[in-house]
Amino acid sequence: MRKIIQFISAIAMNSYPGINAGAGRTLYQGKLKSLCVPILNCYSCPLAWGSCPIGAFQQTMKMGVFPLFITGFFSLVGVLSGRFVCGFLCPFGLLQEMIYKLKTVKFRLPQFSRYIKYAVLILTVSLPFLIHQPVFCKYVCPAGTLEASIWQVLMNPALIMSIGFFFTLKYMMLFIFIIGSLTYKRFFCVTLCPIGAIYGLFNKISILKMHVDKDKCTECGNCRINCPMDISIYENTQNVDCIRCFECIKACPHQAVSKSFSLLLQKKGRSSYGNPDSVLPDLQPRQESDPSLS
Amino acid sequence: MMNRRNIIALIFFIIGTAFLIGGIMKGNLSLISGFGIFLCLDCIGIS
């Protein structure tokens, strides 16, 4: 079901017939382009209807204007769903999951690699204002290379004359991304994605929450084996890397994992690891200490 | 009854909504649609 939603989302966001629009009209430039999609989807993709939020953020900062709209947009999506959009809507995430399914040698990413994306995020939001360049789009983003660069260069032969160092750098990043995605689960999402880093920070407070019933959980590790982000949900239910794909709910043989979408506290009797706020006080009467022991 | 995290979520929701509306009123949308009138050359690695 999730895969179907991911495919529908990818097609819905990228169905503008830019390739057939005629010479010089390789991009959709209508009113929808003013709005951001909630995930990484390149503005310059000839099929894209909307703008990439992190690209728009950088371009607005580059002009010396604080991107109020996009900051608000990130806050709302984050508060409502955390990283749910990464798990269900991001076409780039879908691509990585498909690449990972190819039979090659597989590895696990070291823990420190999960923090790289925060450094990327800080540089992505600050450098456009300081040096007036959209650094993430220009030097890193493999989505731009894959979704836009290849096709735009093919459709506009005049662009070939302008190819230089940055073009080569972007294709090197794409190559690293493909090799990484073959061997590691969601390599880009775990290590580099600044949008995922933003939404991940909201996981701890988002209305959409994950829960693990510690009475049922045996810590068998099935959740981690099936998790596209390679995390153990029982260690921390509001993990910043959890993309709310609910694969752990399906994978758990003891039905210990569940989700909720509510501002209110959980029902009585449920408890979860790693989320002290969601643990209700023990309603059992406390045993009085035996006076004979003192 | 709401716990501490839900109160923080509500605060972020209100601030987010205010930023979103403020951004629209300040003309952020025209900035977004206009940054690559024909093509965002940075995105495709040409600049």
Side-chain angles (χ1 to χ4, degrees):
Chain A
M1 184 64 185
R2 186 172 73 94
K3 283 280 179 285
I4 295 168
I5 295 171
Q6 284 176 301
F7 272 111
I8 291 170
S9 164
I11 293 165
M13 282 184 274
N14 298 292
S15 51
Y16 174 69
I19 292 166
N20 300 318
R25 293 195 62 191
T26 54
L27 281 184
Y28 169 69
Q29 291 158 30
K31 287 185 177 176
L32 283 175
K33 209 75 174 197
S34 308
L35 302 173
C36 296
V37 291
I39 40 75
L40 195 75
N41 197 65
C42 189
Y43 178 100
S44 288
C45 173
L47 306 176
W49 290 104
S51 295
C52 171
I54 205 71
F57 189 100
Q58 290 178 97
Q59 295 287 353
T60 316
M61 286 287 272
K62 188 178 124 181
M63 289 183 246
V65 178
F66 183 76
L68 274 176
F69 175 80
I70 303 154
T71 309
F73 182 73
F74 278 138
S75 295
L76 287 182
V77 175
V79 161
L80 291 174
S81 69
R83 285 190 80 170
F84 171 83
V85 289
C86 302
F88 276 83
L89 302 181
C90 185
F92 212 56
L94 171 66
L95 179 69
Q96 288 172 83
E97 286 176 19
M98 287 167 67
I99 293 174
Y100 186 77
K101 281 188 176 171
L102 297 173
K103 285 184 179 171
T104 56
V105 60
K106 307 293 180 192
F107 297 105
R108 275 187 168 156
L109 283 163
Q111 188 62 26
F112 76 88
S113 63
R114 295 181 182 270
Y115 298 103
I116 298 172
K117 59 181 172 289
Y118 297 104
V120 173
L121 173 64
I122 291 166
L123 295 174
T124 301
V125 299
S126 59
L127 287 183
F129 183 71
L130 298 172
I131 62 172
H132 304 289
Q133 284 190 7
V135 286
F136 181 75
C137 297
K138 193 169 180 175
Y139 303 113
V140 181
C141 185
T145 316
L146 193 66
E147 294 176 0
S149 183
I150 295 170
W151 314 110
Q152 292 294 356
V153 169
L154 285 175
M155 288 189 296
N156 300 293
L159 290 173
I160 296 170
M161 305 298 288
S162 311
I163 287 173
F165 170 72
F166 295 119
F167 192 82
T168 315
L169 181 72
K170 291 268 289 184
Y171 278 80
M172 278 175 62
M173 292 303 294
L174 179 63
F175 180 73
I176 293 168
F177 157 77
I178 292 169
I179 298 297
S181 301
L182 276 170
T183 49
Y184 300 105
K185 285 181 174 179
R186 284 213 177 205
F187 173 71
F188 179 79
C189 307
V190 172
T191 57
L192 291 173
C193 184
I195 300 178
I198 294 171
Y199 291 144
L201 296 173
F202 285 96
N203 264 4
K204 287 187 189 300
I205 58 165
S206 75
I207 296 170
L208 180 61
K209 291 182 177 72
M210 300 299 294
H211 307 283
V212 174
D213 190 330
K214 66 179 178 184
D215 296 329
K216 292 181 182 173
C217 179
T218 59
E219 302 186 7
C220 64
N222 261 359
C223 49
R224 185 171 184 181
I225 292 165
N226 289 279
C227 176
M229 296 292 279
D230 200 27
I231 57 170
S232 304
I233 193 71
Y234 60 82
E235 287 175 358
N236 181 3
T237 51
Q238 314 311 333
N239 191 313
V240 290
D241 280 329
C242 174
I243 56 170
R244 309 290 201 245
C245 63
F246 312 136
E247 293 293 338
C248 49
I249 296 176
K250 280 192 283 180
C252 183
H254 310 290
Q255 287 82 45
V257 190
S258 60
K259 62 179 186 295
S260 70
F261 189 80
S262 171
L263 270 173
L264 300 175
L265 276 175
Q266 293 169 257
K267 288 174 187 171
K268 282 179 187 177
R270 296 197 66 82
S271 57
S272 52
Y273 286 113
N275 186 10
D277 283 350
S278 65
V279 178
L280 287 172
D282 190 358
L283 299 176
Q284 297 296 321
R286 289 186 180 180
Q287 288 184 340
E288 294 296 327
S289 57
D290 191 350
S292 63
L293 295 173
S294 55
Chain B
M1 185 183 166
M2 290 170 74
N3 64 15
R4 182 170 53 85
R5 290 187 186 193
N6 287 337
I7 292 167
I8 297 169
L10 196 63
I11 292 167
F12 269 100
F13 185 84
I14 293 164
I15 293 171
T17 308
F19 272 40
L20 200 79
I21 295 165
I24 294 167
M25 289 171 74
K26 284 267 183 185
N28 276 192
L29 296 187
S30 58
L31 286 178
I32 295 168
S33 64
F35 75 70
I37 295 169
F38 298 109
L39 203 60
C40 171
L41 291 174
D42 293 315
C43 302
I44 61 171
I46 295 170
S47 55

